[in-house]
Amino acid sequence: MNEHDLHEIERYYQSLSTLIRLHGAEHMGRQYVVVRLARMEVTGPLDYSDLQRILGRVPDLRSWWDSWSREARDAEALARRLAGKGDPISAGDLFHRASACYHWGAYLARFDSDERAEGKSHRVRCYREAVDMWSERIEPFVVPYRDTQLPGYLHLARGDEPAPCVIMVDGADSVKEEYHNWARQFVRRGMSVLTLDGPGQGEMLGRLPMRPEAWEEPMGAAVDALAESGRVDADRIGIWGSSMGGFLVLRAAAFEPRLRAAVSSGGFYDFRDFRFWAVTTQLNVMEDLGVDSLSEARDYIEERCSLEGVVDRISVPYLVIHGARDELVSIPEAKQMAAGPTGEFVNFEDGLHTGTNHNATLVPLMCDWMARKLADA
Amino acid sequence: MNEHDLHEIERYYQSLSTLIRLHGAEHMGRQYVVVRLARMEVTGPLDYSDLQRILGRVPDLRSWWDSWSREARDAEALARRLAGKGDPISAGDLFHRASACYHWGAYLARFDSDERAEGKSHRVRCYREAVDMWSERIEPFVVPYRDTQLPGYLHLARGDEPAPCVIMVDGADSVKEEYHNWARQFVRRGMSVLTLDGPGQGEMLGRLPMRPEAWEEPMGAAVDALAESGRVDADRIGIWGSSMGGFLVLRAAAFEPRLRAAVSSGGFYDFRDFRFWAVTTQLNVMEDLGVDSLSEARDYIEERCSLEGVVDRISVPYLVIHGARDELVSIPEAKQMAAGPTGEFVNFEDGLHTGTNHNATLVPLMCDWMARKLADA
């Protein structure tokens, strides 16, 4: 990281803290400014009252981690008490809650802080404890890739027959633990799900860099591992991704023919507005890519991350979901994603980035579409 | 209804509309003023983004029904499209959503309006359609009582063995359709659940008046019906109720010995502050009781609705859950409920009425407690 980056980051933190002082973190979350209340609520075990309470204790950016980690510790302590009493379902729910709170605590903790690292580590650990407690059929599942392993969870559909399977791909700052609720929505509809931290994502951050321009490689490894496991119907594997994941899945679908359908929600064609994103999110991408400065990250994205010539190669059905109020990607950019011969495009007029503010209609759209395409595959 | 009542009601509607004009319905919901955002979110299929959108279209009280019913109609139309396409799980979710929106639309529609009646009727119909769509084991279930039937739904626990069963009792303005989410939390923990409109509640409004001072009678009929059905373990039936239901369940537990455990959340000992409640809620109670004026309702409550001499008679374990920030019942009143020899008392320091703002800790408390007591019964 160079001096210029450090200066830009400090300036961003200061302006963010000023916004929080002026408007309160809760109001910012309601208005979807960096703090995205809809995302926090829809993807994990937090409801509005929780967010109101947690964000009400955040008068400035410095308080962010303290408030979230306090909620996380309380949830984890209660989870342990419940586990000790023999109430595993409740304990699982509370470990899940702790994981989510650690995740969001790390989300706006300073990028170079111990707290951020701590939050990430506890997020992983607590979700694993939740899975061990619950009675749902969710199993840790690793994908051998190069000389390492990509960690994930296999959510198994009901019944003994191997079911179609959806690989869920993280975004730039989302993680396999975050997608629990949506994974369960696929499972309700008869599909199994693999949530996974790919290179540069979640647990793989700092261990293997993300190569967006070759995302078919780790996804091919995931298909191999799923097929070898015998736990899913390997002829009916689809892929789903949100935000940066919405870019990655289209890249993978173009070059990994064993992926039979793809859903891209809130994705990007060429990240043309990348340098205007929140600096914290650009920092996440910098880390994902394993490069050393914001300018390198911007160059990398500009030079290597485009779906030009890619979407035309996709031969399986794919669905692009966009929200017209997305602050990171415009309608023209989103439409280019869907311009391949097998692409479909759905625009939510009132939709924000990744459509989390219309979850009740988003879920049927993406889950039923996937179920149908995998059934037809 | 006499002239004095009509005047009081108009005055209340005017002051409510002024509050909405000044603060917006969403802000009132956040602050838990008549509009209770936490309750709307926790009990049914509505998240904060939904409420933000729906309440954002409510600049005054007159717009209340229009905004909710519009959301309801959209959800119902989508549910029908999804059902037609062969996506029953999504269709069920959207019918459930329509039911909830009709419910909340009726909640603050004028008490004498066609819209209010319409909302109530559509709420019942749409929830029934949801149940028909879902794959969960939920069945319509009626309880013969006097010369009529109390309508309900039996949520069956997993497995073939008859499981312990929880009867869920509505409050003054809540209904069997509203408690779906909590019913499923009991089911996750191995219990079956009967949601039920008792006399004066939900569908029974106007058909049979509520007799709070003899609530053991309809509950005895429910136990009879459950036992005769052979679908549940009739030696392990518990009862749960929230708000006015929290009063009713203690009355029932005192005089119906086949109820083996009771949870009372946000209940009342003697409704000592009843006349200070929102007039709309007092109106609901007036209707529940089948009396003709607010003053009759107040007299009825004052003269006949007390647990004095009642809680001492309860011989099974019972749990009283209170929120210290409850605006309808004070801590001293709540503690009196728990003063019987088998009573336990849990106070949520930050809890609002019925604890919906702490759902993540409320659910483990009430569900695990019930599971344990019914297992020991």
Side-chain angles (χ1 to χ4, degrees):
Chain A
M1 198 90 78
N2 55 42
E3 277 304 308
H4 184 269
D5 281 356
L6 292 173
H7 184 248
E8 183 172 353
I9 293 162
E10 283 311 322
R11 213 172 44 202
Y12 181 77
Y13 280 143
Q14 282 168 25
S15 73
L16 189 54
S17 200
T18 300
L19 283 175
I20 293 175
R21 282 173 188 273
L22 284 171
H23 303 288
E26 188 201 323
H27 181 66
M28 288 177 66
R30 284 202 302 277
Q31 301 310 322
Y32 219 67
V33 180
V34 189
V35 187
R36 294 174 184 163
L37 210 141
R39 174 179 168 192
M40 291 170 171
E41 182 173 18
V42 159
T43 57
L46 294 166
D47 63 31
Y48 173 67
S49 301
D50 300 323
L51 296 170
Q52 192 179 28
R53 181 176 59 254
I54 296 166
L55 297 178
R57 298 184 305 228
V58 180
D60 54 33
L61 188 57
R62 265 182 305 199
S63 321
W64 180 269
W65 165 258
D66 292 341
S67 182
W68 282 100
S69 60
R70 172 178 153 191
E71 195 80 11
R73 281 193 307 273
D74 288 350
E76 188 178 349
L78 178 55
R80 286 200 195 291
R81 277 204 302 282
L82 292 167
K85 277 176 63 186
D87 296 327
I89 291 170
S90 296
D93 288 355
L94 270 295
F95 276 124
H96 185 201
R97 182 182 179 78
S99 173
C101 290
Y102 280 125
H103 175 47
W104 295 118
Y107 182 71
L108 284 184
R110 282 186 64 92
F111 79 99
D112 53 357
S113 64
D114 291 343
E115 288 80 3
R116 185 152 173 268
E118 192 186 326
K120 287 168 182 276
S121 147
H122 289 336
R123 171 198 83 224
V124 170
R125 183 179 53 73
C126 287
Y127 186 79
R128 174 60 181 269
E129 298 210 57
V131 165
D132 290 344
M133 287 287 152
W134 283 323
S135 53
E136 281 84 2
R137 295 167 68 201
I138 310 174
E139 304 169 359
F141 187 94
V142 295
V143 171
Y145 182 62
R146 303 207 171 165
D147 57 352
T148 183
Q149 293 182 316
L150 308 175
Y153 290 95
L154 186 58
H155 296 245
L156 286 161
R158 260 191 300 270
D160 297 328
E161 289 299 300
C165 183
V166 182
I167 301 172
M168 293 185 78
V169 177
D170 304 340
D173 57 16
S174 59
V175 291
K176 65 183 179 309
E177 293 84 8
E178 191 181 329
Y179 287 134
H180 179 86
N181 287 7
W182 280 338
R184 301 313 299 172
Q185 292 286 4
F186 284 111
V187 171
R188 282 180 79 205
R189 291 160 176 86
M191 293 163 274
S192 292
V193 170
L194 176 63
T195 57
L196 188 72
D197 289 335
Q201 299 175 321
E203 289 189 71
M204 296 308 293
L205 204 62
R207 289 166 55 189
L208 199 64
M210 178 186 285
R211 290 289 164 259
E213 73 280 14
W215 197 252
E216 61 276 16
E217 293 174 13
M219 295 304 99
V223 173
D224 288 340
L226 287 169
E228 276 163 36
S229 77
R231 310 296 301 272
V232 307
D233 180 348
D235 293 328
R236 299 177 196 280
I237 294 177
I239 192 164
W240 172 99
S242 178
S243 194
M244 179 172 268
F247 171 91
L248 299 172
V249 298
L250 296 186
R251 172 76 210 185
F255 294 96
E256 172 46 71
R258 293 172 298 170
L259 296 170
R260 310 303 298 270
V263 171
S264 164
S265 178
F268 306 89
Y269 183 78
D270 56 11
F271 300 86
R272 63 195 65 165
D273 298 320
F274 177 71
R275 62 192 62 231
F276 308 118
W277 292 11
V279 174
T280 44
T281 312
Q282 292 186 53
L283 274 174
N284 289 332
V285 173
M286 183 191 85
E287 288 184 314
D288 295 346
L289 297 171
V291 297
D292 293 326
S293 69
L294 287 171
S295 57
E296 280 177 81
R298 289 163 186 160
D299 291 346
Y300 192 113
I301 290 289
E302 184 174 334
E303 289 161 18
R304 299 196 236 179
C305 297
S306 167
L307 295 174
E308 194 179 343
V310 173
V311 291
D312 299 327
R313 293 189 51 134
I314 302 176
S315 60
V316 297
Y318 74 97
L319 172 64
V320 172
I321 303 172
H322 180 67
R325 294 171 61 203
D326 193 319
E327 79 280 26
L328 302 179
V329 59
S330 64
I331 293 187
E333 181 177 353
K335 281 190 171 162
Q336 277 183 276
M337 276 189 282
T342 56
E344 292 178 48
F345 183 69
V346 172
N347 179 49
F348 282 70
E349 275 303 330
D350 181 52
L352 296 167
H353 184 54
T354 74
T356 47
N357 63 324
H358 282 277
N359 195 52
T361 40
L362 175 70
V363 163
L365 174 64
M366 68 191 192
C367 295
D368 294 336
W369 186 95
M370 183 67 88
R372 189 158 283 122
K373 298 306 176 190
L374 293 183
D376 294 344
Chain B
M1 199 90 79
N2 55 42
E3 278 304 308
H4 184 270
D5 281 355
L6 292 173
H7 185 248
E8 184 172 353
I9 293 163
E10 283 311 321
R11 214 172 43 202
Y12 182 77
Y13 281 143
Q14 281 170 23
S15 73
L16 189 55
S17 200
T18 300
L19 283 176
I20 293 175
R21 282 173 188 272
L22 284 171
H23 303 288
E26 187 202 323
H27 182 65
M28 288 177 66
R30 284 202 302 277
Q31 301 310 322
Y32 220 67
V33 179
V34 189
V35 187
R36 295 173 184 164
L37 209 142
R39 173 179 168 191
M40 291 170 171
E41 182 173 17
V42 159
T43 57
L46 294 166
D47 63 31
Y48 174 67
S49 300
D50 299 323
L51 296 170
Q52 192 178 28
R53 181 175 60 254
I54 296 166
L55 297 178
R57 298 184 305 228
V58 181
D60 53 34
L61 188 58
R62 265 183 306 199
S63 321
W64 180 269
W65 165 258
D66 292 341
S67 182
W68 282 100
S69 60
R70 171 177 154 193
E71 196 80 11
R73 281 192 307 274
D74 288 351
E76 187 178 349
L78 179 55
R80 286 199 196 290
R81 277 205 301 282
L82 292 166
K85 277 176 64 187
D87 296 327
I89 291 170
S90 296
D93 288 355
L94 270 295
F95 276 124
H96 184 200
R97 182 181 179 78
S99 173
C101 290
Y102 280 125
H103 175 48
W104 295 118
Y107 182 72
L108 284 184
R110 282 186 65 91
F111 79 99
D112 53 357
S113 64
D114 291 343
E115 288 80 3
R116 185 152 172 268
E118 191 186 327
K120 287 168 182 276
S121 146
H122 289 336
R123 171 199 83 223
V124 170
R125 183 179 53 73
C126 287
Y127 185 78
R128 174 60 181 268
E129 298 210 57
V131 165
D132 290 344
M133 287 286 152
W134 283 323
S135 53
E136 281 83 2
R137 295 166 68 201
I138 309 174
E139 304 169 0
F141 187 94
V142 295
V143 171
Y145 182 63
R146 304 208 170 165
D147 56 351
T148 183
Q149 293 182 317
L150 308 175
Y153 290 95
L154 186 58
H155 296 246
L156 286 161
R158 259 191 301 270
D160 297 327
E161 289 299 300
C165 183
V166 182
I167 301 172
M168 293 185 79
V169 177
D170 305 340
D173 57 15
S174 59
V175 291
K176 65 184 179 309
E177 293 83 7
E178 191 181 329
Y179 287 134
H180 179 86
N181 288 8
W182 280 338
R184 301 313 299 172
Q185 292 287 3
F186 284 110
V187 171
R188 282 180 78 205
R189 290 159 176 86
M191 293 163 275
S192 292
V193 170
L194 176 63
T195 57
L196 188 73
D197 290 335
Q201 299 175 321
E203 289 188 71
M204 295 309 292
L205 204 62
R207 289 166 56 189
L208 199 64
M210 177 186 286
R211 291 288 164 260
E213 72 281 14
W215 197 252
E216 61 275 16
E217 294 174 12
M219 295 304 99
V223 173
D224 289 340
L226 287 169
E228 276 162 36
S229 77
R231 310 296 300 273
V232 308
D233 180 347
D235 293 327
R236 299 177 197 280
I237 294 177
I239 192 165
W240 172 99
S242 178
S243 194
M244 178 172 268
F247 171 91
L248 299 173
V249 298
L250 296 187
R251 171 77 210 184
F255 295 96
E256 173 45 72
R258 293 172 297 169
L259 296 170
R260 310 304 298 270
V263 171
S264 164
S265 177
F268 306 90
Y269 183 78
D270 56 11
F271 300 87
R272 64 195 64 165
D273 298 320
F274 177 72
R275 63 191 62 231
F276 307 118
W277 292 10
V279 174
T280 44
T281 312
Q282 292 186 53
L283 274 174
N284 289 333
V285 173
M286 183 191 84
E287 288 184 314
D288 296 346
L289 297 171
V291 297
D292 293 326
S293 69
L294 287 171
S295 56
E296 280 177 81
R298 289 163 186 159
D299 291 346
Y300 193 113
I301 291 289
E302 185 174 332
E303 289 160 19
R304 299 196 235 178
C305 297
S306 167
L307 295 175
E308 194 179 342
V310 173
V311 291
D312 299 327
R313 293 188 52 133
I314 302 176
S315 60
V316 297
Y318 74 97
L319 172 64
V320 172
I321 303 172
H322 180 66
R325 293 171 61 203
D326 193 318
E327 78 280 28
L328 302 179
V329 59
S330 63
I331 294 187
E333 181 177 352
K335 281 190 171 162
Q336 278 183 276
M337 276 189 282
T342 55
E344 292 177 48
F345 182 70
V346 172
N347 180 49
F348 282 70
E349 275 304 331
D350 181 52
L352 295 167
H353 184 54
T354 73
T356 47
N357 63 324
H358 282 276
N359 195 53
T361 40
L362 176 70
V363 164
L365 174 64
M366 67 192 192
C367 295
D368 294 336
W369 186 95
M370 183 67 89
R372 189 159 284 121
K373 298 307 176 190
L374 293 183
D376 294 345

